[in-house]
Amino acid sequence: MGRKREGEKLGDWTIELFVENAELYLRSLEKRVPQAPVEVKALLERLSEQGFEVRRVLDLNCGIGRHSIELARRGIEVLGTDISPLYIKIARERARSENVHDKARFLVADMREIARTLSREEAFDGIINLFTSFGYYDDETNDDILRQCRRLVREGGFFALETANKDWIVKNFLEQSFHWEDDLLLLEEREFDPYTSRIHNTWTYLQRVDEKTYTLKGRIKFDHRVWSLNELIEMFRRTGWSFKAAYPGLNEEKNTPLTAARRLLIIAQR
């Protein structure tokens, strides 16, 4: 199993993947850009159902800004943050090219220090964190991030978290899979630790040279936390948030049973 090495902290891999080897995951992010309009439409509908007005939002771990830019197209002011300088550079370029740079700003930031980094920002209406961009660190650090986020949101504001559903993962667990990103082959190996509710992953990237030849582009080992619905509700409760609602993930039918949803969208209130 891909256990952490002695002296290594949970989440150290975020630098290795998103900073030192950011170009490896970039193709996965770019491939998902066309899904952003559907996902943002669903997100705003669900927030509206819960009585939230969305005028100014923090997109925490925004990647290349696919959701931030779509929100900006709808007239919403967005600050997108990510640990990856490359992704933030691309997000800024996309915002300028799509003429929404007056609404969408982007900043390199580590979510573990988000309150200090944004200490001079006005309070946000809410924070979004989408596509399993949470759970990279140990439980204490994950909780601290949510407490920090609470300080950045106005009274009555929201946190919308979309993350992998542990119930679905346990029922449908795949130890190995692969897929293509253009001419880049990604081999994925996984092990689920039921004692910690963490998935230990090894991603191997192979560049296709010709029909029979591949070169190794990179191999990343990482792990992340997954939760069931009741665990997510408790996590928000103990960090000072009030649970409001749970939905299937933004790319799933709204009437999908929560136990059958691949991802969960949790909405909590300050």
Side-chain angles (χ1 to χ4, degrees), residues 70-89:
E70 185 61 31
L71 287 164
R73 283 199 191 104
R74 296 165 184 258
I76 296 168
E77 183 181 342
V78 189
L79 174 60
T81 62
D82 201 276
I83 201 170
S84 172
L86 175 62
Y87 298 164
I88 291 298
K89 177 177 180 288

Side-chain angles (χ1 to χ4, degrees), residues 35-99:
Q35 301 171 15
V38 171
E39 294 168 349
V40 167
K41 180 176 183 291
L43 173 67
L44 293 178
E45 287 175 352
R46 285 149 181 71
L47 288 170
S48 179
E49 285 178 9
Q50 298 304 318
F52 294 108
E53 288 189 45
V54 185
R55 294 163 298 192
R56 187 167 185 272
V57 174
L58 170 62
D59 186 357
L60 185 67
N61 290 2
C62 67
I64 59 173
R66 66 187 190 277
H67 298 111
S68 297
I69 289 171
E70 185 61 31
L71 287 164
R73 283 199 191 104
R74 296 165 184 258
I76 296 168
E77 183 181 342
V78 189
L79 174 60
T81 62
D82 201 276
I83 201 170
S84 172
L86 175 62
Y87 298 164
I88 291 298
K89 177 177 180 288
I90 292 170
R92 287 171 176 161
E93 291 171 351
R94 291 187 60 234
R96 282 193 295 269
S97 69
E98 299 186 33
N99 201 30

